[in-house]
Amino acid sequence: MATTYTAALVGCGRIGYSLGLDAKREQPASHTMALLGNPRIRLIAGCDTDIGRLSVWHKAVPDAKSYQRSVDMYREKHPDIITVAVPEEFHKEEALAAIAARPRLVILEKPVALNTREAQEIKNASVECGVPVMINHERRFAEDYKKAREYMREIGSLQSIYASLSSSLCLYDRRGESTGACSLFHDGTHLIDAVMFFLGDPASLGKPVITGLYKDEKGSIRQLSAHWSTDRCPDVTVTMSGRSRYFAFEIQINGTEGRVCIGNSYLKVYRRKDSPLYTGFFSLVRDNDAVLPQKTLYFSNMVQNAVDFLDGRGSLKSPIDAGIKDLLILEDIKTGLYS
């Protein structure tokens, strides 16, 4: 009989629980729903300092025990998996506490921490205690992103990657750095991680060239572009806007033989074919033979990766080392804003 793994959750807020109630989102869309949805996992405890959130969560998971302090939870419970889904400013504190409780695996929400110094402390504790840490960079687990990376084999040599993030949130303000209230790190970590995923997780991208800076009347960064040239792809561009009146996340990968376009709710792939427009030319034509996934399964695949890892049947697809690389790149971008 297959082993059942026990799990505990620290943080019963949006990503911990309530996004799992959003009727517009592909479900499961929260750690609670993803853990409950896996037949190999038994959710035995949850923790949140907000008694109101904790009460709502406990009504939804009555068989689990609830706690307001993680230290009390670890004193009574010894789960195989601890998921940490708290705001970034508390990542270091709660991740270190979870690691010290010696579970078999810690799942930590992105970004790893507020900065690379704190992230390295978490990594060091992970190594010292022998507790692996997986970061929830969800696109690494999503079927559409995995399909996009597979299709990159069909588009020839890489020419460029253009990745963009648009929202109404401030990208960066020094005053918000200590709380994680900066979209550059909070949302930008997903964009950078997706680029690294498509590039095959290189050691780094090197130092970026920053252009397109836009500051608001308070001096907060609202728009930027960062550019790199690498041996894998000569033109890597990441553009982030915090002055848009909509949310968009999209990546375009251009090769010598085709193109991959992926964003929230779509994946389009193109191949070089005889042009339907010009005699004697080739054009990019939508490849309708490519079978695209109907669901991304991003959250359930993440939890299944945890189970496969504990079973000894697979490695972690989003290890802490990859998350630290993302933070290093974001810190290089931040440095470039004022150089």
Side-chain angles (χ1 to χ4, degrees), residues 50-284:
D50 186 306
I51 189 64
R53 282 198 302 261
L54 187 61
S55 176
V56 169
W57 179 86
H58 194 222
K59 287 179 181 178
V61 195
D63 292 336
K65 189 165 182 181
S66 61
Y67 301 83
Q68 276 194 272
R69 301 195 312 161
S70 58
V71 63
D72 296 328
M73 182 170 71
Y74 300 143
R75 189 177 295 118
E76 294 185 6
K77 301 293 183 180
H78 305 283
D80 298 305
I81 301 169
I82 297 175
T83 295
V84 177
V86 297
E88 287 97 306
E89 59 186 307
F90 304 113
H91 273 206
K92 174 188 167 183
E93 174 188 350
E94 291 298 343
L96 291 179
I99 291 169
R102 304 294 177 110
R104 298 178 63 180
L105 176 68
V106 168
I107 299 174
L108 176 61
E109 256 306 314
K110 59 77 196 169
V112 179
L114 287 174
N115 51 59
T116 53
R117 176 182 54 79
E118 291 189 358
Q120 191 59 49
E121 288 185 54
I122 296 172
K123 167 69 183 300
N124 292 344
S126 167
V127 172
E128 181 179 345
C129 295
V131 177
V133 176
M134 177 166 69
I135 309 303
N136 186 30
H137 278 118
E138 61 192 43
R139 288 166 179 82
R140 287 180 179 259
F141 306 99
E143 294 296 327
D144 52 347
Y145 276 76
K146 291 191 290 183
K147 186 71 175 181
R149 190 165 76 163
E150 290 174 9
Y151 199 86
M152 286 173 65
R153 295 193 293 260
E154 308 296 327
I155 66 171
S157 300
L158 286 182
Q159 297 185 108
S160 62
I161 295 179
Y162 298 136
S164 66
L165 168 67
S166 301
S167 78
S168 59
L169 300 176
C170 174
L171 285 181
Y172 181 75
D173 187 315
R174 285 191 172 109
R175 291 166 294 185
E177 188 169 9
S178 62
T179 62
C182 299
S183 184
L184 175 64
F185 288 87
H186 184 75
D187 296 313
T189 183
H190 276 311
L191 198 65
I192 293 297
D193 191 73
V195 169
M196 295 289 277
F197 176 69
F198 287 131
L199 286 174
D201 289 315
S204 71
L205 292 180
K207 300 298 180 182
V209 175
I210 306 298
T211 64
L213 272 180
Y214 180 91
K215 299 181 182 179
D216 63 19
E217 65 279 0
K218 296 180 181 179
S220 301
I221 305 296
R222 288 282 178 174
Q223 184 175 318
L224 65 86
S225 290
H227 312 268
W228 298 265
S229 183
T230 75
D231 56 353
R232 178 87 166 97
C233 181
D235 180 11
V236 178
T237 298
V238 170
T239 297
M240 301 185 202
S241 171
R243 53 196 292 249
S244 304
R245 298 179 66 185
Y246 56 86
F247 181 80
F249 189 107
E250 45 196 5
I251 299 176
Q252 179 175 289
I253 306 166
N254 296 303
T256 54
E257 302 286 331
R259 175 180 294 164
V260 174
C261 300
I262 188 167
N264 289 344
S265 80
Y266 71 86
L267 170 58
K268 301 175 183 178
V269 293
Y270 301 84
R271 294 286 297 276
R272 169 188 177 270
K273 294 185 178 180
D274 288 330
S275 178
L277 304 173
Y278 313 108
T279 301
F281 282 79
F282 294 95
S283 295
L284 288 181

